[in-house]
Amino acid sequence: MTTPIQAQTPVSTPPVPHGVGNPAGTPVVAPTRTKDKDGGASGGLGTFGVKSGLAQMLKGGVIMDVVNPEQARIAEEAGACAVMALERVPADIRAEGGVARMSDPSMIKQIVDAVTIPVMAKVRIGHFVEAQILQAIGIDYIDESEVLTPADEEHHINKHAFKVPFVCGARNLGEALRRISEGAAFIRTKGEAGTGNVVEAVRHQRSVMSEIRKASVMSEEELYTYAKEIQAPFHLLKETARLKRLPVVNFAAGGIATPADAALMMQLGCDGVFVGSGIFHSENPAKRARAIVQAVTHFNNPKILAEISEDLGPAMVGLTIDDNLKGGRLAGRGW
Amino acid sequence: MPQATSPSQDVTIGILGTQNRSLSAKRNWTYPASQPIALQGAFAEHQVMLQKLSLKKRVVIVLIRQPEDLDKCDALIIPGGESTTIALLARLAGLLEPIREFLKTKPVWGTCAGAILLAQWVENAKKGGQELLGGISVTVERNGFGSQVESFEAPLEVEGLRESNRPFHGIFIRAPVVVNLKPSPTDPPIQIISRISASLLPASQTVIPPDEDDTDPRDPRTIVALRQGLHLLTTFHPELTKDDRFHEYFVRECVLPTLGSRSSSPA
């Protein structure tokens, strides 16, 4: 990692997103410790290693939005690697409008009790008190999400200050790296939640990948300029260019409704997918959920994809994404 | 370095996984090498660690997608991930029974979720129970330390590791806890190779008196790495560090001895 001059084509890219273990020096992804936050007696709690490590364990999996313990059980039985507990799935937030907030902690706790897989929950962008509440009830991951109504139009949460890890949305490389520098241990491309239309998810994933490819052949001088251009911290951009991937796990989200959508996102280079409204707004959630789980595992085997795509019943009704989109574009939230 | 490329010079290690992008080097540019996908979970990291090892034998890595792939393997690693998801995908791929057969004769190492699958019994399983592979006569409790907020890192002393005076960095993520050891008289003995300090155990749990079969008087829940017969179980994630000593240990202690008998007799 000490060849500054030439942007050579790196030999073999380490698949380990950085910041994990990390004895080779360079605390690249901010190594803030939060051990004294709750007077933790054991020092190694809530390190970036364990935060990003959990995301590593989710790779190749599907994270499903659920609104009650029954749905959470269906998701677990279908092979979800985690569930996202929320009061309304994005499609309903769109339809009903109003301010969308963190869910009732008692409802989240019921879901935690119902399943053994990790449970995530959403907080509004910038609403660090909602995050403190979720940490206090022992949630496994927090999504600082544009799907909820933002609470702060300038600042995101300082995620280093928490023991619980955060996932954040991003539309491009600059946004992803800004979130990582704030302490996000996991990135999802935003897509357009609640539409059942995968077009934005594809746009965002392609944009992240193409910017990484661009950065990976740049010289150090060019990287300085590029960092300024995309408003990303230089050290994270440099690390991304070296790894040829984001330094944390990257899932796709926002509009995935079919097994083929999920496999598409996997083939475009993400590590796993979030499926929000797509499962429980379809006719046969259990079957569709399992099919999407299998699609993520067998994403480049069209034969298996064909088999699992059969007889799933109608998918959720999709929306075209234009200026008349009900509920507006959510992806533009976040700065 | 191996002079001849006879098959006996190689040791083939399987990692449970149905998909793999990183080995198809041609596509590395479009799809970065960094994203091979297992059945589900973190198997790419194991692959990288094994590739780094410098051994007399060449390590060949096979990703297990279907039952036939197991035939080529001298050993198997079950990676971390979600044990319920891995078990479901393994069942759908028809791998559960072939792996149970494999366990009878060949070494298997399970890390974290893999450790849960290797255990004979599990507590705090998902509602309605979950499928295990078995193989090691222990009971583990899933998420025994609590939720992600309780995940931690700690230095470990590991018996038999290369440079064992240097602690191994243990990363525990929603880790399982070994709650008791129950080897039946016919099973090979269980050898405990690493423990954490009892102060790291979750405060909410009260100390359970050690099982009668446990010759060690200490709390079994402090056990984080153990061996039984050919198999190795770790409740933490050596693959998330950059320290390859645990992978070297598995190959040296568990895998190579089983090859000795195979390759030396015909030679």
Side-chain angles (χ1 to χ4, degrees), chain B residues 132-162:
Chain B
L132 302 175
L133 295 162
I136 296 186
S137 332
V138 297
T139 308
V140 298
E141 182 187 3
R142 278 189 76 194
N143 305 333
F145 289 97
S147 76
Q148 170 65 14
V149 183
E150 308 301 326
S151 293
F152 63 99
E153 301 182 28
L156 304 174
E157 282 173 31
V158 186
E159 204 182 299
L161 216 55
R162 193 181 73 216

PDB file of all heavy atoms in Angstrom, chain B residues 132-162:
ATOM      1  N   LEU B 132     -29.242 -28.692  12.453  1.00  0.00           N
ATOM      2  CA  LEU B 132     -27.817 -28.648  12.727  1.00  0.00           C
ATOM      3  C   LEU B 132     -27.157 -29.774  11.952  1.00  0.00           C
ATOM      4  O   LEU B 132     -27.810 -30.712  11.499  1.00  0.00           O
ATOM      5  CB  LEU B 132     -27.545 -28.852  14.222  1.00  0.00           C
ATOM      6  CG  LEU B 132     -28.202 -27.871  15.189  1.00  0.00           C
ATOM      7  CD1 LEU B 132     -27.913 -28.297  16.618  1.00  0.00           C
ATOM      8  CD2 LEU B 132     -27.677 -26.465  14.952  1.00  0.00           C
ATOM      9  N   LEU B 133     -25.831 -29.689  11.841  1.00  0.00           N
ATOM     10  CA  LEU B 133     -25.106 -30.790  11.220  1.00  0.00           C
ATOM     11  C   LEU B 133     -24.646 -31.766  12.286  1.00  0.00           C
ATOM     12  O   LEU B 133     -24.538 -32.957  12.060  1.00  0.00           O
ATOM     13  CB  LEU B 133     -23.898 -30.235  10.455  1.00  0.00           C
ATOM     14  CG  LEU B 133     -24.251 -29.343   9.274  1.00  0.00           C
ATOM     15  CD1 LEU B 133     -23.059 -28.505   8.876  1.00  0.00           C
ATOM     16  CD2 LEU B 133     -24.725 -30.186   8.110  1.00  0.00           C
ATOM     17  N   GLY B 134     -24.339 -31.243  13.477  1.00  0.00           N
ATOM     18  CA  GLY B 134     -23.783 -32.082  14.525  1.00  0.00           C
ATOM     19  C   GLY B 134     -22.323 -32.366  14.229  1.00  0.00           C
ATOM     20  O   GLY B 134     -21.760 -31.823  13.290  1.00  0.00           O
ATOM     21  N   GLY B 135     -21.710 -33.195  15.052  1.00  0.00           N
ATOM     22  CA  GLY B 135     -20.307 -33.532  14.818  1.00  0.00           C
ATOM     23  C   GLY B 135     -19.454 -33.292  16.045  1.00  0.00           C
ATOM     24  O   GLY B 135     -18.476 -33.983  16.270  1.00  0.00           O
ATOM     25  N   ILE B 136     -19.801 -32.305  16.831  1.00  0.00           N
ATOM     26  CA  ILE B 136     -19.058 -32.042  18.066  1.00  0.00           C
ATOM     27  C   ILE B 136     -20.051 -32.098  19.221  1.00  0.00           C
ATOM     28  O   ILE B 136     -21.098 -31.442  19.177  1.00  0.00           O
ATOM     29  CB  ILE B 136     -18.339 -30.677  18.003  1.00  0.00           C
ATOM     30  CG1 ILE B 136     -17.289 -30.711  16.892  1.00  0.00           C
ATOM     31  CG2 ILE B 136     -17.711 -30.343  19.345  1.00  0.00           C
ATOM     32  CD1 ILE B 136     -16.416 -29.486  16.803  1.00  0.00           C
ATOM     33  N   SER B 137     -19.706 -32.871  20.252  1.00  0.00           N
ATOM     34  CA  SER B 137     -20.677 -33.135  21.317  1.00  0.00           C
ATOM     35  C   SER B 137     -20.735 -32.010  22.327  1.00  0.00           C
ATOM     36  O   SER B 137     -20.326 -32.169  23.479  1.00  0.00           O
ATOM     37  CB  SER B 137     -20.338 -34.425  22.049  1.00  0.00           C
ATOM     38  OG  SER B 137     -19.669 -35.309  21.223  1.00  0.00           O
ATOM     39  N   VAL B 138     -21.191 -30.869  21.891  1.00  0.00           N
ATOM     40  CA  VAL B 138     -21.350 -29.752  22.807  1.00  0.00           C
ATOM     41  C   VAL B 138     -22.726 -29.135  22.590  1.00  0.00           C
ATOM     42  O   VAL B 138     -23.351 -29.332  21.557  1.00  0.00           O
ATOM     43  CB  VAL B 138     -20.282 -28.651  22.593  1.00  0.00           C
ATOM     44  CG1 VAL B 138     -18.896 -29.170  22.878  1.00  0.00           C
ATOM     45  CG2 VAL B 138     -20.360 -28.077  21.188  1.00  0.00           C
ATOM     46  N   THR B 139     -23.167 -28.381  23.582  1.00  0.00           N
ATOM     47  CA  THR B 139     -24.362 -27.574  23.417  1.00  0.00           C
ATOM     48  C   THR B 139     -23.914 -26.127  23.317  1.00  0.00           C
ATOM     49  O   THR B 139     -23.093 -25.678  24.127  1.00  0.00           O
ATOM     50  CB  THR B 139     -25.287 -27.701  24.639  1.00  0.00           C
ATOM     51  OG1 THR B 139     -25.501 -29.088  24.887  1.00  0.00           O
ATOM     52  CG2 THR B 139     -26.618 -27.011  24.380  1.00  0.00           C
ATOM     53  N   VAL B 140     -24.418 -25.415  22.341  1.00  0.00           N
ATOM     54  CA  VAL B 140     -24.110 -23.989  22.273  1.00  0.00           C
ATOM     55  C   VAL B 140     -25.397 -23.209  22.384  1.00  0.00           C
ATOM     56  O   VAL B 140     -26.473 -23.693  22.047  1.00  0.00           O
ATOM     57  CB  VAL B 140     -23.368 -23.586  20.972  1.00  0.00           C
ATOM     58  CG1 VAL B 140     -22.042 -24.271  20.854  1.00  0.00           C
ATOM     59  CG2 VAL B 140     -24.227 -23.848  19.752  1.00  0.00           C
ATOM     60  N   GLU B 141     -25.248 -21.998  22.875  1.00  0.00           N
ATOM     61  CA  GLU B 141     -26.392 -21.107  22.943  1.00  0.00           C
ATOM     62  C   GLU B 141     -26.193 -20.014  21.905  1.00  0.00           C
ATOM     63  O   GLU B 141     -25.188 -19.302  21.910  1.00  0.00           O
ATOM     64  CB  GLU B 141     -26.489 -20.482  24.343  1.00  0.00           C
ATOM     65  CG  GLU B 141     -27.688 -19.580  24.463  1.00  0.00           C
ATOM     66  CD  GLU B 141     -27.720 -18.825  25.781  1.00  0.00           C
ATOM     67  OE1 GLU B 141     -26.781 -18.953  26.582  1.00  0.00           O
ATOM     68  OE2 GLU B 141     -28.706 -18.095  25.996  1.00  0.00           O
ATOM     69  N   ARG B 142     -27.142 -19.895  20.988  1.00  0.00           N
ATOM     70  CA  ARG B 142     -27.038 -18.863  19.953  1.00  0.00           C
ATOM     71  C   ARG B 142     -27.112 -17.485  20.582  1.00  0.00           C
ATOM     72  O   ARG B 142     -27.845 -17.277  21.534  1.00  0.00           O
ATOM     73  CB  ARG B 142     -28.189 -18.986  18.953  1.00  0.00           C
ATOM     74  CG  ARG B 142     -27.959 -20.012  17.907  1.00  0.00           C
ATOM     75  CD  ARG B 142     -29.043 -19.917  16.841  1.00  0.00           C
ATOM     76  NE  ARG B 142     -28.813 -18.787  15.953  1.00  0.00           N
ATOM     77  CZ  ARG B 142     -29.734 -18.315  15.112  1.00  0.00           C
ATOM     78  NH1 ARG B 142     -30.926 -18.846  15.087  1.00  0.00           N
ATOM     79  NH2 ARG B 142     -29.447 -17.328  14.309  1.00  0.00           N
ATOM     80  N   ASN B 143     -26.374 -16.556  20.024  1.00  0.00           N
ATOM     81  CA  ASN B 143     -26.370 -15.172  20.503  1.00  0.00           C
ATOM     82  C   ASN B 143     -26.211 -15.125  22.031  1.00  0.00           C
ATOM     83  O   ASN B 143     -26.846 -14.323  22.702  1.00  0.00           O
ATOM     84  CB  ASN B 143     -27.658 -14.443  20.111  1.00  0.00           C
ATOM     85  CG  ASN B 143     -27.910 -14.492  18.612  1.00  0.00           C
ATOM     86  OD1 ASN B 143     -26.961 -14.610  17.841  1.00  0.00           O
ATOM     87  ND2 ASN B 143     -29.159 -14.437  18.219  1.00  0.00           N
ATOM     88  N   GLY B 144     -25.352 -16.013  22.540  1.00  0.00           N
ATOM     89  CA  GLY B 144     -25.242 -16.167  23.983  1.00  0.00           C
ATOM     90  C   GLY B 144     -24.761 -14.927  24.706  1.00  0.00           C
ATOM     91  O   GLY B 144     -24.981 -14.770  25.906  1.00  0.00           O
ATOM     92  N   PHE B 145     -24.069 -14.056  23.992  1.00  0.00           N
ATOM     93  CA  PHE B 145     -23.580 -12.842  24.650  1.00  0.00           C
ATOM     94  C   PHE B 145     -24.615 -11.724  24.609  1.00  0.00           C
ATOM     95  O   PHE B 145     -24.437 -10.699  25.234  1.00  0.00           O
ATOM     96  CB  PHE B 145     -22.290 -12.358  23.988  1.00  0.00           C
ATOM     97  CG  PHE B 145     -21.107 -13.238  24.269  1.00  0.00           C
ATOM     98  CD1 PHE B 145     -20.729 -14.211  23.357  1.00  0.00           C
ATOM     99  CD2 PHE B 145     -20.387 -13.110  25.440  1.00  0.00           C
ATOM    100  CE1 PHE B 145     -19.648 -15.031  23.610  1.00  0.00           C
ATOM    101  CE2 PHE B 145     -19.306 -13.930  25.700  1.00  0.00           C
ATOM    102  CZ  PHE B 145     -18.932 -14.897  24.783  1.00  0.00           C
ATOM    103  N   GLY B 146     -25.658 -11.907  23.816  1.00  0.00           N
ATOM    104  CA  GLY B 146     -26.660 -10.859  23.699  1.00  0.00           C
ATOM    105  C   GLY B 146     -26.694 -10.316  22.281  1.00  0.00           C
ATOM    106  O   GLY B 146     -26.271 -10.980  21.345  1.00  0.00           O
ATOM    107  N   SER B 147     -27.188  -9.105  22.135  1.00  0.00           N
ATOM    108  CA  SER B 147     -27.350  -8.527  20.803  1.00  0.00           C
ATOM    109  C   SER B 147     -26.030  -7.941  20.316  1.00  0.00           C
ATOM    110  O   SER B 147     -25.006  -8.023  20.973  1.00  0.00           O
ATOM    111  CB  SER B 147     -28.436  -7.455  20.825  1.00  0.00           C
ATOM    112  OG  SER B 147     -27.928  -6.287  21.421  1.00  0.00           O
ATOM    113  N   GLN B 148     -26.091  -7.323  19.154  1.00  0.00           N
ATOM    114  CA  GLN B 148     -24.892  -6.752  18.549  1.00  0.00           C
ATOM    115  C   GLN B 148     -24.197  -5.758  19.463  1.00  0.00           C
ATOM    116  O   GLN B 148     -22.978  -5.641  19.440  1.00  0.00           O
ATOM    117  CB  GLN B 148     -25.269  -6.089  17.227  1.00  0.00           C
ATOM    118  CG  GLN B 148     -24.189  -5.242  16.581  1.00  0.00           C
ATOM    119  CD  GLN B 148     -22.986  -6.056  16.147  1.00  0.00           C
ATOM    120  OE1 GLN B 148     -23.049  -7.280  16.094  1.00  0.00           O
ATOM    121  NE2 GLN B 148     -21.884  -5.386  15.867  1.00  0.00           N
ATOM    122  N   VAL B 149     -24.952  -5.069  20.295  1.00  0.00           N
ATOM    123  CA  VAL B 149     -24.336  -4.086  21.188  1.00  0.00           C
ATOM    124  C   VAL B 149     -23.318  -4.762  22.107  1.00  0.00           C
ATOM    125  O   VAL B 149     -22.366  -4.144  22.579  1.00  0.00           O
ATOM    126  CB  VAL B 149     -25.439  -3.369  21.996  1.00  0.00           C
ATOM    127  CG1 VAL B 149     -24.866  -2.296  22.876  1.00  0.00           C
ATOM    128  CG2 VAL B 149     -26.461  -2.758  21.046  1.00  0.00           C
ATOM    129  N   GLU B 150     -23.522  -6.059  22.358  1.00  0.00           N
ATOM    130  CA  GLU B 150     -22.589  -6.786  23.234  1.00  0.00           C
ATOM    131  C   GLU B 150     -21.438  -7.436  22.475  1.00  0.00           C
ATOM    132  O   GLU B 150     -20.610  -8.113  23.069  1.00  0.00           O
ATOM    133  CB  GLU B 150     -23.343  -7.883  24.007  1.00  0.00           C
ATOM    134  CG  GLU B 150     -24.572  -7.392  24.743  1.00  0.00           C
ATOM    135  CD  GLU B 150     -24.246  -6.321  25.757  1.00  0.00           C
ATOM    136  OE1 GLU B 150     -23.152  -6.389  26.346  1.00  0.00           O
ATOM    137  OE2 GLU B 150     -25.069  -5.403  25.945  1.00  0.00           O
ATOM    138  N   SER B 151     -21.415  -7.295  21.155  1.00  0.00           N
ATOM    139  CA  SER B 151     -20.295  -7.868  20.395  1.00  0.00           C
ATOM    140  C   SER B 151     -18.999  -7.186  20.822  1.00  0.00           C
ATOM    141  O   SER B 151     -18.991  -6.004  21.120  1.00  0.00           O
ATOM    142  CB  SER B 151     -20.519  -7.672  18.895  1.00  0.00           C
ATOM    143  OG  SER B 151     -21.617  -8.441  18.468  1.00  0.00           O
ATOM    144  N   PHE B 152     -17.898  -7.958  20.852  1.00  0.00           N
ATOM    145  CA  PHE B 152     -16.661  -7.379  21.381  1.00  0.00           C
ATOM    146  C   PHE B 152     -15.435  -8.005  20.743  1.00  0.00           C
ATOM    147  O   PHE B 152     -15.525  -9.000  20.028  1.00  0.00           O
ATOM    148  CB  PHE B 152     -16.599  -7.587  22.906  1.00  0.00           C
ATOM    149  CG  PHE B 152     -16.554  -9.043  23.314  1.00  0.00           C
ATOM    150  CD1 PHE B 152     -15.352  -9.650  23.643  1.00  0.00           C
ATOM    151  CD2 PHE B 152     -17.713  -9.798  23.339  1.00  0.00           C
ATOM    152  CE1 PHE B 152     -15.310 -10.994  24.010  1.00  0.00           C
ATOM    153  CE2 PHE B 152     -17.675 -11.147  23.693  1.00  0.00           C
ATOM    154  CZ  PHE B 152     -16.475 -11.740  24.032  1.00  0.00           C
ATOM    155  N   GLU B 153     -14.300  -7.377  21.018  1.00  0.00           N
ATOM    156  CA  GLU B 153     -13.024  -7.945  20.611  1.00  0.00           C
ATOM    157  C   GLU B 153     -12.198  -8.176  21.872  1.00  0.00           C
ATOM    158  O   GLU B 153     -12.280  -7.399  22.807  1.00  0.00           O
ATOM    159  CB  GLU B 153     -12.272  -6.974  19.690  1.00  0.00           C
ATOM    160  CG  GLU B 153     -13.049  -6.621  18.423  1.00  0.00           C
ATOM    161  CD  GLU B 153     -12.271  -5.689  17.500  1.00  0.00           C
ATOM    162  OE1 GLU B 153     -11.033  -5.724  17.510  1.00  0.00           O
ATOM    163  OE2 GLU B 153     -12.926  -4.933  16.764  1.00  0.00           O
ATOM    164  N   ALA B 154     -11.416  -9.247  21.882  1.00  0.00           N
ATOM    165  CA  ALA B 154     -10.592  -9.524  23.046  1.00  0.00           C
ATOM    166  C   ALA B 154      -9.384 -10.346  22.635  1.00  0.00           C
ATOM    167  O   ALA B 154      -9.467 -11.183  21.743  1.00  0.00           O
ATOM    168  CB  ALA B 154     -11.407 -10.291  24.098  1.00  0.00           C
ATOM    169  N   PRO B 155      -8.237 -10.097  23.280  1.00  0.00           N
ATOM    170  CA  PRO B 155      -7.060 -10.921  23.002  1.00  0.00           C
ATOM    171  C   PRO B 155      -7.219 -12.318  23.617  1.00  0.00           C
ATOM    172  O   PRO B 155      -7.745 -12.446  24.729  1.00  0.00           O
ATOM    173  CB  PRO B 155      -5.916 -10.153  23.659  1.00  0.00           C
ATOM    174  CG  PRO B 155      -6.567  -9.312  24.703  1.00  0.00           C
ATOM    175  CD  PRO B 155      -7.977  -9.055  24.273  1.00  0.00           C
ATOM    176  N   LEU B 156      -6.791 -13.344  22.893  1.00  0.00           N
ATOM    177  CA  LEU B 156      -6.964 -14.717  23.363  1.00  0.00           C
ATOM    178  C   LEU B 156      -5.619 -15.415  23.464  1.00  0.00           C
ATOM    179  O   LEU B 156      -4.746 -15.220  22.623  1.00  0.00           O
ATOM    180  CB  LEU B 156      -7.824 -15.502  22.370  1.00  0.00           C
ATOM    181  CG  LEU B 156      -9.201 -14.965  22.021  1.00  0.00           C
ATOM    182  CD1 LEU B 156      -9.802 -15.810  20.917  1.00  0.00           C
ATOM    183  CD2 LEU B 156     -10.085 -14.984  23.257  1.00  0.00           C
ATOM    184  N   GLU B 157      -5.502 -16.269  24.481  1.00  0.00           N
ATOM    185  CA  GLU B 157      -4.356 -17.168  24.516  1.00  0.00           C
ATOM    186  C   GLU B 157      -4.820 -18.492  23.964  1.00  0.00           C
ATOM    187  O   GLU B 157      -5.811 -19.052  24.425  1.00  0.00           O
ATOM    188  CB  GLU B 157      -3.874 -17.363  25.946  1.00  0.00           C
ATOM    189  CG  GLU B 157      -3.056 -16.205  26.445  1.00  0.00           C
ATOM    190  CD  GLU B 157      -2.731 -16.361  27.922  1.00  0.00           C
ATOM    191  OE1 GLU B 157      -2.600 -17.511  28.383  1.00  0.00           O
ATOM    192  OE2 GLU B 157      -2.632 -15.320  28.587  1.00  0.00           O
ATOM    193  N   VAL B 158      -4.116 -18.984  22.971  1.00  0.00           N
ATOM    194  CA  VAL B 158      -4.548 -20.216  22.324  1.00  0.00           C
ATOM    195  C   VAL B 158      -3.448 -21.253  22.410  1.00  0.00           C
ATOM    196  O   VAL B 158      -2.304 -21.005  22.022  1.00  0.00           O
ATOM    197  CB  VAL B 158      -4.910 -19.973  20.843  1.00  0.00           C
ATOM    198  CG1 VAL B 158      -5.486 -21.236  20.237  1.00  0.00           C
ATOM    199  CG2 VAL B 158      -5.880 -18.821  20.718  1.00  0.00           C
ATOM    200  N   GLU B 159      -3.824 -22.420  22.938  1.00  0.00           N
ATOM    201  CA  GLU B 159      -2.859 -23.488  23.099  1.00  0.00           C
ATOM    202  C   GLU B 159      -2.499 -24.079  21.735  1.00  0.00           C
ATOM    203  O   GLU B 159      -3.385 -24.402  20.949  1.00  0.00           O
ATOM    204  CB  GLU B 159      -3.528 -24.563  23.955  1.00  0.00           C
ATOM    205  CG  GLU B 159      -2.594 -25.455  24.692  1.00  0.00           C
ATOM    206  CD  GLU B 159      -3.419 -26.489  25.452  1.00  0.00           C
ATOM    207  OE1 GLU B 159      -4.216 -26.072  26.317  1.00  0.00           O
ATOM    208  OE2 GLU B 159      -3.273 -27.676  25.150  1.00  0.00           O
ATOM    209  N   GLY B 160      -1.198 -24.193  21.481  1.00  0.00           N
ATOM    210  CA  GLY B 160      -0.771 -24.886  20.274  1.00  0.00           C
ATOM    211  C   GLY B 160      -0.643 -24.006  19.055  1.00  0.00           C
ATOM    212  O   GLY B 160      -0.241 -24.474  17.990  1.00  0.00           O
ATOM    213  N   LEU B 161      -0.988 -22.740  19.191  1.00  0.00           N
ATOM    214  CA  LEU B 161      -0.863 -21.837  18.057  1.00  0.00           C
ATOM    215  C   LEU B 161       0.604 -21.502  17.833  1.00  0.00           C
ATOM    216  O   LEU B 161       1.370 -21.447  18.779  1.00  0.00           O
ATOM    217  CB  LEU B 161      -1.639 -20.555  18.360  1.00  0.00           C
ATOM    218  CG  LEU B 161      -2.359 -19.875  17.218  1.00  0.00           C
ATOM    219  CD1 LEU B 161      -3.309 -20.833  16.536  1.00  0.00           C
ATOM    220  CD2 LEU B 161      -3.137 -18.671  17.741  1.00  0.00           C
ATOM    221  N   ARG B 162       0.985 -21.258  16.585  1.00  0.00           N
ATOM    222  CA  ARG B 162       2.329 -20.794  16.299  1.00  0.00           C
ATOM    223  C   ARG B 162       2.540 -19.467  17.041  1.00  0.00           C
ATOM    224  O   ARG B 162       1.609 -18.673  17.154  1.00  0.00           O
ATOM    225  CB  ARG B 162       2.424 -20.582  14.781  1.00  0.00           C
ATOM    226  CG  ARG B 162       3.803 -20.406  14.223  1.00  0.00           C
ATOM    227  CD  ARG B 162       3.685 -20.180  12.726  1.00  0.00           C
ATOM    228  NE  ARG B 162       3.167 -18.851  12.457  1.00  0.00           N
ATOM    229  CZ  ARG B 162       2.347 -18.553  11.460  1.00  0.00           C
ATOM    230  NH1 ARG B 162       1.931 -19.487  10.639  1.00  0.00           N
ATOM    231  NH2 ARG B 162       1.921 -17.310  11.281  1.00  0.00           N
TER     232      ARG B 162
END
